[in-house]
Amino acid sequence: MVRPLLILIFLLSLYHTLTAGKVLPSSEGISIEETNYVKVEKYVYHESKIDVLLVGSSRTAKLDPQYISDDAQNLGMRGFSSTLGLELVKNTELKPSIVLVEINGTIGLTDEELIKSLFDPLTYYTRLYFPMFRTEYRPVSVFIQAVRNLLENLNIITLEEIDQARVNPAFREKIVQEKLKEYNQTLSQKEKTDLRYKAESIKSKIEEIENSGVQVFLYDIPGDRRIDNTMKSSQERELLQNLFPSNKFEWLPEPPDRDWNTSDGVHLISNDAKVFTEFIRTQMSGVGASR
C-alpha cells in the first residue's frame, strides 16, 4: 500500500515540476468549453503586466493577439461576451494597460458560476501555486497540443490551413442565407429593451475599470457585408452607438471597407482575422501599445 502511494506522489511531483517549469506545452484546449477555460485561467493566473486585453464573444476569439502586441491577450470566448471578460478584469488585481471591448448584439452573455469557481479561495490558490491543476495542463490536452506543435514546426500543416479546410462554400452560403432571413427584420421592442439593460451592465463595469487606471476602447468586428447591411444589424448598431456615445466612450475607427471573408457570415476566417487584428494594432500604436 505504501509503495503505490510513493509512486503516485513521485509522479505528481514530477508532473508539477514539468508544468511549473513550463517544460510541457500549454494546451489551447481541445473543445469549445476547454478552450474557454484555458483562456480564462491564463488571464486570471497571469504573472506579468498585460499590454492589451481583448474581451468579447467568439468573433473576438478568432483574433490572434500576437499581431497587436507581444504582451497582448485574448479573452474572446465562444458562447460568451464582453460582459464576462470585463467581470474578470474587475476581479483581478494586476489589470491590463488597455482593454478592447467588443460591442454588438452579443453583449450580456456571461457565466456567474464560472466566475465564482475561479475566485473560490481553495480553487484559486490551488491552481495559482500548482499549475498542473489548470485546464491547460490536462494530460490528454497536453499530448494533443504537442502533436499540433510538431506538425506546425515540421511545416506539415498550419492552423490557418486547418481553418481554411473547414470552410465549405456551399454550407457557408446556406448558413448565410438562413441568417439573412433572420436579420431582414426589424429589431423587436424586447430585443431593444434587452440591449439597453445589458448595455447598462457593461457601462458600470467599464466605469469601474477605467477608475482603476485602465484605458478602454470599444470596437465591433465586421462580417459578411450582406448580413452587416440587413435591417436588424443596422438598427442594432445604431442603438448601441446611441447607448455608447462617442462623446463618452472611445471607439476605434471603422475598419477598412472591404469584402470580409467569413466561415458562416459572422466569424472571420484566419486570414481576414489577421487583417482586422493588424488594423487594431495600427490604431493602438498611438496610445502606447507595443508595436
Side-chain angles (χ1 to χ4, degrees), residues 175-191:
I175 294 176
V176 169
Q177 291 302 320
E178 290 175 353
K179 288 185 184 295
L180 285 172
K181 290 179 183 178
E182 176 187 350
Y183 280 85
N184 275 318
Q185 303 176 32
T186 59
L187 205 60
S188 70
Q189 193 58 48
K190 182 180 182 305
E191 288 171 322

Side-chain angles (χ1 to χ4, degrees), residues 221-226 228 258-262 265-268:
I221 300 177
D224 188 293
R225 192 191 297 270
R226 292 169 293 175
D228 286 350
R258 67 194 294 270
D259 288 323
W260 296 93
N261 296 306
T262 68
V266 174
H267 300 88
L268 297 176

